[in-house]
Structures are given as C-alpha cells and as structure tokens.
Amino acid sequence: MNKRADALQSRLHRTGRYNTDNRRREWWWIAGLLVAGLLVRLWLGGRYPGFMDDQNLFVQWMNDVRQYGLGTVYMHNHGINYPPIFLALMSIYAAVLHLFGIQATAGTLSYKGILIVLDLLSFIAVAIWSRGKAGVITRPLLLALFALNPVLIVDGAIWGQVDILNGMLMTGSLLLILSAPLIAGILFALALLTKFQAIVIAPVFGWYMLRTLWKRQFRPLLLFLAGALLPLLLTALYFALYGGFTAMIRGAYLSAVGMYKQVTLNAFNIWYYLVGTTPDTSDTIKLWNVISLRNIGFVLLLLAVLYTGWYIGRRFTLNTATMLKAGAWISFAFFMLPTEIHERYSVPALIMLLLITLLDRRWIPLALLLSVTITYNLWAVMTSYLPPTPGIIVSCIHVVALLWMAWLILQDLRTQHQHRNPQNHSTNPDHPQPTNTNNT
C-alpha cells in the first residue's frame, strides 16, 4: 500500500510540475508575443505615415480638447464627428506627452503611440480571457494571430485609426452578456460612446432579451439596461453641465448619418461593382423607380438581422461562442450589405472572429482568409491604389466569406441537434434508431 501511495503521489507531483511548466512556457510565449507586437508596430508605424487626412483631424481635435475642454469642444469645432470617448483618451494622452515636452504630430509615433498602447492592452485582455479556452499549442498560435494580425497593425499603428477600441468594447459586451449583463451593458454603452457603429450588435442583445423575456426572466434585461444607461446618462449630464450636450449629439451622432451618398466608401462589399454599381454611384438612385439602393441595403441587412434572431432562437442553450458568432455574423453583414460603408467597418467583425477561433476551430480558416483580404482593402485605400479588378476579386471573396459564415452558423445548429438526439444518426441506414420524442 505504501508503495502504491508513493507511486500515486509521485505521479501527481510530476503531473503538477508538468502543468506548471506548461503554464510558465505559455506565459513566456505570451510575453514574447507582446514584445513582438510592440516592436512590429513601432517599426511599421514609424516607417509608414499612414492616412494623413484622418490623423491631421485627430491631432487637431486633440489640441481643441486641450484648449476648450471636452465639455465644450463640440461647440467650438463643428467638424468633430466622433463620440467623446476617443476625444477624452486623446486628451489624456496629450497631457502625458506634455509632461515630457512632446507634441503629437500626425504621421509619427508621437500620435500613433496611443493606438499602439490600445493594441497591446487589447492583446493582454484577450490573453487573460483565453486561459483554458484552447490547447497548450493551439492557444499561443491563435494569440499570435491576434498580436501580429496585419489588419490590426495596418488599421492602428500604420493608418492611425481607433477601430480596435470600439471593436474590443463590442466584443467584451458580447462575451459578458450571459454571465454579467450589467458589465455587458456598460461596455456596450462605452462602445457607442466611442463609435456609433457599435449599434450594429444591438440586434444580438435584442434577440437574446426577447428569448429571456419569453422564459419570464427579467433580470438580464434590467441589469443590461441599467449598465447601459449608467455611462450614457453620466455623459449626457457632463455635457449638459457645460452646455454642450446638443452640440455633442449633433456632431458625434447625427452629422455622420447620410453624410456620404455613395453606395460604398471603398469597402470591398457587394456594392463594389458586383451588383452593377460603381463605388461612386449615388445610393439615392431608385431601382425601377420604386426603391432606392440605400433602402435595398437596409432590406438586406434586415434579412441578416432576422437570421441572427433565428440562430439565437433555435439554439437549445446559449453560450459565449453563440453570442460571439452572432455578433461576428451581423457585424460582417453590416460591412457587406448596406450602402455608405467604409473599409474599416470590417475590423470589429474580424476581432470577434479571432476570439471565436479560440472556442471553435472550424472558424480558423475564415479568420485567416479575412485577415488577408481586409488587410488588402485597408492598404489599398490608405495608399489610394484602387484598381477595380483586385477589388472586385476581394469583394467576391468577401461574399463567399459571408455565405461561409452563414453556413457555419447553420452547421452549429445541426451539430446541436445531433448531440441532443445521437440515436437519430444510426451508422446502419437499414436499421435506423427510434426518434427521441422527449426533447423540446
């Protein structure tokens, strides 16, 4: 007995040591990815100036906030069309730079530093969340796909945009909606206060809340609403005290609606030549003098919203992967189907896809494919190199990716039926098993 006990204790000791060594190697790998991500962003961000029009605006806004204060800046600069979160972060960043005697300059790391910091913080958050979500080998590789993803590098450190922030806030709200609806509501509101584009995942929350209400569960809805209202009301109160609430709403949310009339603003989607329209075609043109191209885009997006609801409604049980998949689907559909879409609107969908790969390996090829095509879309616009043929090819690939995503969601539903009724899938077709009628 003593020999058996000693052998068991030795085995447990070796197993624990093995697990400890694995965890240590994982965290060293993650630390290496963090450093690699930083170095790549510093190198490319310093080498390429990026999209100067955006960066000049952002630096001007940064200076305006420091001069006039966040509460009244929308009253003094009517050209600001971003919600206040990014302005507040830029103001804090400018104050830190001022302590070191540095002035933010467009096209340089002095401005892009804030975006690189947001990228690295996002990677740290994903690394912490991903513990236990994938294997010892798979997890570091998929984290590498996030840390060194060309889309995130081009969009942030090179271009100079902030889509990583609203994309991560959107993703975080989807991750927490089931376990912590109060925090999910806060994150969703913060995403709306970063970019109004975050409203695209509202249908996911809406369908989920309808499902909970159907089951007479009111707590998730109340907690989510309370969480969402908290930052929204505090922001409204802050601007109201400075007299800038109306100017903020007009600039950050209303001014961007209908600002552009083109069917696509360089987004490689269905409107990029695929349906017979050139990118500069006005979306107010009516088909058969009945419905405008803009409204056709809305109808197509509505169909995607209904598919989202069907998916959430047909799931026997909801989990984190379900909510992420629904969010990725509707976010990418938002990029592909409506008119007046910018090329960068695909970034939140990609961020969700990268996290889905840690939960479902079937989505890895799709994430890899879109990492390449979205990078090309961003780079082509940033460098103003937009020959029609490559863009048409990428647009076709994006259509395939959208259909592929819809098929994966459908397979998700079929798989759950197979797991719930395994006896319905007999290996002998001549002797099928009886159907289980107890499942509802």
Side-chain angles (χ1 to χ4, degrees):
M1 288 295 293
N2 291 335
K3 290 183 179 180
R4 289 183 179 181
D6 292 341
L8 178 60
Q9 185 176 358
S10 177
R11 188 184 308 167
L12 290 174
H13 176 74
R14 289 197 304 270
T15 303
R17 181 178 178 181
Y18 174 77
N19 290 335
T20 301
D21 290 343
N22 270 347
R23 282 195 294 268
R24 186 180 294 113
R25 280 194 294 267
E26 272 192 340
W27 286 112
W28 274 113
W29 178 251
I30 290 171
L33 287 176
L34 185 67
V35 173
L38 172 62
L39 294 178
V40 168
R41 283 166 172 81
L42 290 175
W43 173 50
L44 294 177
R47 181 174 180 179
Y48 298 101
F51 200 83
M52 295 301 295
D53 288 347
D54 281 356
Q55 292 184 51
N56 284 324
L57 276 178
F58 296 155
V59 171
Q60 180 61 50
W61 297 352
M62 185 188 301
N63 295 330
D64 288 343
V65 173
R66 284 184 56 79
Q67 180 178 355
Y68 302 113
L70 182 61
T72 61
V73 69
Y74 290 95
M75 300 169 63
H76 292 91
N77 187 340
H78 301 292
I80 299 178
N81 55 9
Y82 273 41
I85 290 292
F86 184 46
L87 298 182
L89 289 178
M90 287 198 298
S91 176
I92 296 172
Y93 178 68
V96 173
L97 291 182
H98 183 71
L99 293 177
F100 296 94
I102 302 173
Q103 178 73 28
T105 304
T108 69
L109 291 175
S110 61
Y111 160 73
K112 296 177 181 180
I114 184 175
L115 307 173
I116 294 174
V117 169
L118 289 174
D119 273 2
L120 298 180
L121 290 177
S122 298
F123 172 72
I124 292 172
V126 172
I128 294 173
W129 168 81
S130 66
R131 290 190 64 181
K133 299 293 192 302
V136 175
I137 298 176
T138 306
R139 179 179 174 233
L141 292 177
L142 294 178
L143 285 177
L145 181 61
F146 189 97
L148 303 175
N149 193 278
V151 172
L152 303 183
I153 293 172
V154 171
D155 183 72
I158 299 178
W159 183 304
Q161 266 288 350
V162 69
D163 297 286
I164 185 68
L165 180 57
N166 65 297
M168 285 298 296
L169 290 171
M170 293 164 67
T171 303
S173 63
L174 291 168
L175 290 175
L176 295 173
I177 184 62
L178 300 178
S179 59
L182 179 69
I183 301 177
I186 293 175
L187 293 180
F188 180 55
L190 292 176
L192 290 173
L193 291 170
T194 302
K195 282 194 175 183
F196 190 51
Q197 173 196 347
I199 195 67
V200 67
I201 61 171
V204 178
F205 299 129
W207 289 119
Y208 167 65
M209 295 306 170
L210 285 176
R211 176 177 169 133
T212 59
L213 291 176
W214 180 261
K215 296 182 178 181
R216 299 182 182 275
Q217 299 172 358
F218 303 102
R219 192 167 181 268
L221 174 62
L222 295 176
L223 289 175
F224 181 80
L225 290 177
L229 287 174
L230 179 62
L232 293 177
L233 290 177
L234 289 176
T235 301
L237 178 61
Y238 172 82
F239 281 95
L241 290 175
Y242 284 93
F245 176 73
T246 303
M248 185 272 289
I249 294 295
R250 186 186 303 113
Y253 298 102
L254 301 182
S255 65
V257 178
M259 178 184 295
Y260 305 99
K261 306 296 182 183
Q262 299 98 306
V263 289
T264 176
L265 300 169
N266 298 317
F268 291 163
N269 56 23
I270 64 169
W271 300 101
Y272 194 84
Y273 295 103
L274 297 191
V275 294
T277 57
T278 59
D280 58 353
T281 301
S282 174
D283 67 351
T284 58
I285 294 176
K286 290 188 176 181
L287 186 64
W288 302 307
N289 205 30
V290 175
I291 182 171
S292 68
L293 299 180
R294 180 186 299 175
N295 288 333
I296 290 175
F298 286 146
V299 171
L300 293 174
L301 183 60
L302 176 61
L303 294 176
V305 170
L306 293 176
Y307 189 69
T308 306
W310 179 75
Y311 173 55
I312 293 176
R314 295 282 294 177
R315 284 284 303 179
F316 294 147
T317 57
L318 298 181
N319 53 33
T320 300
T322 302
M323 306 310 290
L324 274 179
K325 291 172 184 177
W329 156 256
I330 196 62
S331 295
F332 195 61
F334 176 71
F335 170 75
M336 288 295 298
L337 303 177
T339 59
E340 305 181 14
I341 297 299
H342 287 273
E343 67 290 323
R344 293 172 289 99
Y345 287 6
S346 57
V347 175
L350 179 71
I351 292 174
M352 297 171 197
L353 275 174
L354 294 175
L355 268 67
I356 292 171
T357 61
L358 288 157
L359 304 174
D360 190 338
R361 293 185 182 182
R362 295 175 300 175
W363 290 67
I364 293 177
L366 185 59
L368 291 171
L369 176 66
L370 289 179
S371 293
V372 175
T373 57
I374 294 174
T375 298
Y376 176 79
N377 195 172
L378 294 175
W379 192 266
V381 176
M382 187 182 68
T383 58
S384 299
Y385 181 71
L386 292 163
T389 301
I392 292 172
I393 294 173
V394 172
S395 298
C396 290
I397 294 175
H398 284 167
V399 171
V400 173
L402 184 67
L403 296 176
W404 188 358
M405 202 177 295
W407 179 80
L408 285 172
I409 286 175
L410 183 61
Q411 288 298 108
D412 202 38
L413 294 177
R414 289 178 176 174
T415 300
Q416 72 166 0
H417 282 282
Q418 293 173 5
H419 289 167
R420 189 168 185 176
N421 296 309
Q423 66 273 31
N424 291 343
H425 304 275
S426 172
T427 57
N428 186 351
D430 296 326
H431 299 86
Q433 297 294 326
T435 303
N436 185 355
T437 59
N438 294 329
N439 292 330
T440 58

